[in-house]
Amino acid sequence: MRKLLVYLKDYKKETVLAPLFKMLEATFELFVPLVMAAIIDQGIQGGDVPYVLRMGLLLIVLGLIGLTCSVTAQYYAAKAAVGFSAKLKHSLFSHIQSLSFTEIDTLGTSTMITRMTSDVNQVQNGVNMVLRLFLRSPFIVFGAMVMAFTIDVKAAFIFVVTIPLLSIVVFGIMMITMPMYKKVQAGLDKVLSTTRENLTGARVIRAFNKEKEEISNFEEKNQALSDMQLFVGRISALTNPVTYIIINVATIVLLYTGAIRVNEGTITQGQVVALVNYMSQILIELVKLANLIITITKALACANRIASVQELRSSMQWEQKAQGESKAEKKKIYAGADGGTEETGTDSPYVVEFDHVHLTYAGAGAESLSDIDFKVKRGQTVGIIGGTGSGKSSLVNMIPRFYDACAGSVKVDGRDVREYCMEELRQKVGFVLQKAVLFQGTIRDNLLWGNKNATEEELWQAVETAQAREFVEQKSGKLDAQIAQTGRNLSGGQKQRLTIARALVGKPEILILDDSASALDYATDAALRKAIRDMDGDMTVFIVSQRASSIQYADQIIVLDDGEMVGIGTHDRLLTNCKVYQEIYYSQYPDQAESEAG
């Protein structure tokens, strides 16, 4: 929790004024029993009505001053807590954004969402309550005991015994429940994870008629969370009855002792009433303190979970600034993909190089990629094909450095990707993921993610190249047409074409299409590939696809099988000497397999 207090540094005034005004309120509250004692002993017993009225007016003044102090304190406490929460969320979100895919995969999306929302809210409540009550409640408890000593020392010793007993109960329950609340938050993570999986995979679940199994799975995890919350709730619930028992027993003893002392003439009736009032104040404040302790316990458990994320450091370190020279400063002439010559901005004739690359995901038992070795010239189109789980996406994910090689090196423009700063490398690479992801807003807003400074003409050019112009022009508002969250008001093919257009707006040197045309028909797919080939500039294109037709005209095709590169070359060459490619191709074109066999 201490590590998170740094986010309160801009609210020093509020963190001082909130408890200060609460202490002022508590001070005025401690004078109330003395005024009541004076009203009873002097006003009522003496029949002095004006005195009673004056003291009654004083009570009203004390109440109004206390109310003003309380409202002021709550205002400053709320301002500090909400500001603290906002800064913490910004910092946590920024830190999560800095983590590599490895850490994000390890933590899990549902856990990060829980810590960004529920955990931060719990910590916010904890900060708010601490500023309001953490000093006020102990001050009143010990202040009431001191005031009791000013009235009668013998009766005040009842307070000396009562307060430690109450402290043992309150802090003992706190020590028991604190680790339990951590388990409750972990259980909440599991419930959220299951809920998220069911929402994102609703169609798959229904397609395979797994609703009952998923409902059963959710109910099991939800019941486990409920049982855990009930168990820790029962222990926390002991706080109030136990404290009430102790306080009420102490009040009975105090009344008995007070009666004897009044009979002896040592103290007055008003002073006994004052002592009982102080005992009642202690009861109320200790109940508040008990609830505060529960809130603090939850907040501390959540703060530790947040701190554990913030302490997590990315396994991927980036250069802080671009080190490469500009294209205008460094030009070289090399053989192009078409056999002619081309001008490039680096010392290397290859735009992408994989030098005996191996990749193992965190926690995986085996390598996902083994000894991947190939080179790609500028302007070439590279097809990547293979069976499900063969490592196609893993391979292309290493070009923009979503994951780092465990052995070997990946180079872009002759430089190891580890030598680039993030912005420089990601500007070179346009990536279209397998799952088309669009954000809530307009089509224009989504396209501008590729280049926020793109002109209207550049946006329409990208839309046309991505074969999306026809349906965009039909929409009301065209580029300003609204897109629902995740693009749910668009078809699969429309979403894929817009994500491709978004990548093209950035005019990348390297365009990676990771099975991003799977929802397109063959004619649209072919038109898309032709439009990309006809674009100005020498853009290098990687096409990951399950369709042989999508990659058969590529300059070179990489065939993967179980994480290994089992073939590389042109379509004709691979049909001759690569068994895996033959199986994939002829499974999709059985007529050609029969004709060749015949």
Side-chain angles (χ1 to χ4, degrees):
M1 183 69 184
R2 282 185 303 222
K3 295 178 181 178
L4 303 185
L5 293 179
V6 66
Y7 302 107
L8 275 173
K9 67 179 181 180
D10 293 332
Y11 298 94
K12 292 178 182 177
K13 180 183 74 175
E14 286 79 5
T15 55
V16 171
L17 290 176
L20 178 63
F21 276 99
K22 272 294 179 183
M23 297 280 279
L24 287 172
E25 179 204 356
T27 303
F28 289 116
E29 191 172 326
L30 288 172
F31 285 117
V32 171
L34 294 179
V35 176
M36 285 299 302
I39 290 173
I40 294 170
D41 292 337
Q42 297 181 39
I44 295 175
Q45 283 190 353
D48 191 346
V49 176
Y51 183 83
V52 172
L53 293 175
R54 287 198 305 273
M55 289 298 102
L57 184 62
L58 179 59
L59 284 177
I60 293 172
V61 171
L62 289 174
L64 290 174
I65 295 173
L67 176 63
T68 303
C69 291
S70 177
V71 170
T72 305
Q74 294 197 28
Y75 167 77
Y76 284 122
K79 185 178 179 181
V82 172
F84 162 85
S85 171
K87 287 182 177 294
L88 178 56
K89 285 180 181 177
H90 280 299
S91 174
L92 187 58
F93 184 80
S94 177
H95 179 69
I96 289 172
Q97 290 293 315
S98 72
L99 298 176
S100 71
F101 280 18
T102 300
E103 284 73 45
I104 292 173
D105 293 342
T106 303
L107 282 173
T109 306
S110 59
T111 298
M112 289 186 286
I113 291 173
T114 305
R115 299 186 192 195
M116 278 285 299
T117 53
S118 174
D119 286 357
V120 173
N121 288 339
Q122 290 282 9
V123 176
Q124 176 186 322
N125 291 336
V127 171
N128 193 359
M129 295 295 285
V130 165
L131 291 177
R132 287 166 50 192
L133 297 176
F134 191 69
L135 291 179
R136 182 189 188 280
S137 293
F139 179 79
I140 285 193
V141 169
F142 290 104
M145 184 175 68
V146 171
M147 297 299 282
F149 271 102
T150 63
I151 295 172
D152 184 61
V153 174
K154 186 175 181 180
F157 273 106
I158 299 170
F159 290 76
V160 175
V161 175
T162 304
I163 292 172
L165 282 175
L166 290 168
S167 300
I168 291 171
V169 170
V170 169
F171 288 101
I173 290 174
M174 182 190 75
M175 296 302 292
I176 294 170
T177 55
M178 186 177 290
M180 292 182 180
Y181 280 117
K182 291 181 182 178
K183 293 181 180 179
V184 167
Q185 290 300 119
L188 180 60
D189 281 348
K190 293 178 181 178
V191 171
L192 282 175
S193 177
T194 303
T195 305
R196 185 175 180 277
E197 287 172 2
N198 276 272
L199 288 173
T200 55
R203 295 188 181 185
V204 177
I205 292 168
R206 291 177 183 176
F208 287 89
N209 195 28
K210 295 289 184 180
E211 292 97 326
K212 290 183 179 179
E213 291 181 25
E214 289 302 320
I215 290 171
S216 175
N217 183 35
F218 174 81
E219 288 179 347
E220 181 182 339
K221 291 180 179 178
N222 193 45
Q223 188 61 46
L225 176 62
S226 299
D227 291 343
M228 214 180 314
Q229 287 178 318
L230 285 171
F231 181 69
V232 68
R234 288 190 185 103
I235 296 175
S236 296
L238 289 173
T239 306
N240 283 358
V242 173
T243 51
Y244 271 104
I245 289 170
I246 294 172
I247 286 290
N248 287 329
V249 169
T251 303
I252 292 169
V253 175
L254 183 62
L255 287 171
Y256 178 76
T257 305
I260 294 174
R261 303 286 284 171
V262 169
N263 191 48
E264 292 173 351
T266 308
I267 59 175
T268 64
Q269 294 174 344
Q271 288 175 324
V272 173
V273 172
L275 288 171
V276 172
N277 281 340
Y278 281 128
M279 188 64 76
S280 298
Q281 284 185 351
I282 291 173
L283 169 63
I284 293 168
E285 292 306 320
L286 281 172
V287 169
K288 288 182 182 178
L289 187 60
N291 292 328
L292 173 64
I293 293 298
I294 293 170
T295 302
I296 291 175
T297 302
K298 292 179 181 178
L300 287 174
C302 293
N304 290 333
R305 285 159 50 83
I306 294 169
S308 68
V309 174
Q310 290 193 318
E311 288 168 2
L312 190 64
R313 290 292 169 261
S314 176
S315 58
M316 192 175 289
Q317 301 302 315
W318 291 88
E319 294 291 335
Q320 295 303 307
K321 60 182 180 179
Q323 296 179 353
E325 298 179 66
S326 68
K327 292 180 181 178
E329 294 172 328
K330 187 180 278 189
K331 296 277 187 181
K332 296 289 180 183
I333 305 296
Y334 292 106
D338 58 357
T341 60
E342 65 176 14
E343 198 172 41
T344 169
T346 68
D347 284 325
S348 174
Y350 302 106
V351 66
V352 174
E353 300 173 64
F354 274 64
D355 184 12
H356 300 284
V357 170
H358 295 253
L359 172 67
T360 304
Y361 289 111
E367 288 185 335
S368 297
L369 294 175
S370 302
D371 198 30
I372 305 298
D373 188 78
F374 65 89
K375 297 178 180 179
V376 180
K377 290 183 178 179
R378 188 173 302 278
Q380 284 189 326
T381 297
V382 180
I384 301 174
I385 196 167
T388 303
S390 58
K392 303 185 296 297
S393 294
S394 297
L395 189 151
V396 293
N397 278 335
M398 299 182 75
I399 298 173
R401 203 187 171 200
F402 291 156
Y403 296 94
D404 270 339
C406 301
S409 64
V410 180
K411 295 180 181 178
V412 171
D413 285 339
R415 286 168 56 196
D416 194 309
V417 291
R418 296 183 181 93
E419 297 174 4
Y420 282 91
C421 75
M422 183 185 290
E423 184 178 359
E424 184 186 10
L425 179 60
R426 300 285 165 83
Q427 281 179 346
K428 287 177 176 287
V429 182
F431 204 112
V432 186
L433 299 169
Q434 281 180 310
K435 182 180 179 182
V437 178
L438 293 170
F439 300 97
Q440 187 174 9
T442 64
I443 293 175
R444 185 190 305 277
D445 293 336
N446 276 271
L447 295 180
L448 288 175
W449 273 65
N451 177 10
K452 63 181 179 181
N453 299 316
T455 63
E456 187 87 2
E457 183 182 351
E458 288 172 333
L459 294 179
W460 278 112
Q461 185 179 359
V463 168
E464 187 168 359
T465 303
Q467 309 302 300
R469 188 179 191 110
E470 182 181 352
F471 82 82
V472 171
E473 286 184 334
Q474 290 175 355
K475 288 196 169 289
S476 175
K478 298 182 180 179
L479 287 178
D480 294 314
Q482 287 293 320
I483 295 178
Q485 189 175 5
T486 69
R488 62 176 178 268
N489 59 336
L490 300 174
S491 68
Q494 289 173 338
K495 286 193 286 187
Q496 287 190 337
R497 280 177 280 174
L498 285 179
T499 54
I500 293 169
R502 180 172 58 195
L504 293 173
V505 167
K507 296 181 179 179
E509 296 178 25
I510 303 166
L511 177 64
I512 300 172
L513 304 177
D514 185 6
D515 205 14
S516 53
S518 57
L520 304 184
D521 58 75
Y522 284 94
T524 306
D525 186 15
L528 170 65
R529 286 183 278 110
K530 183 180 183 302
I532 291 173
R533 281 199 306 271
D534 293 341
M535 286 179 64
D536 295 334
D538 293 319
M539 185 166 63
T540 305
V541 182
F542 285 80
I543 301 175
V544 177
S545 181
Q546 301 281 5
R547 296 177 182 172
S549 61
S550 296
I551 51 96
Q552 67 179 6
Y553 298 109
D555 297 300
Q556 59 176 325
I557 300 169
I558 298 170
V559 185
L560 297 177
D561 183 40
D562 197 22
E564 296 182 355
M565 197 168 71
V566 295
I568 183 169
T570 62
H571 169 71
D572 293 334
R573 181 181 172 188
L574 290 171
L575 273 183
T576 304
N577 58 22
C578 182
K579 184 179 179 182
V580 174
Y581 187 75
Q582 291 170 1
E583 291 175 355
I584 295 171
Y585 183 77
Y586 289 132
S587 68
Q588 296 177 15
Y589 297 95
D591 294 342
Q592 292 193 27
E594 291 174 6
S595 64
E596 291 197 14

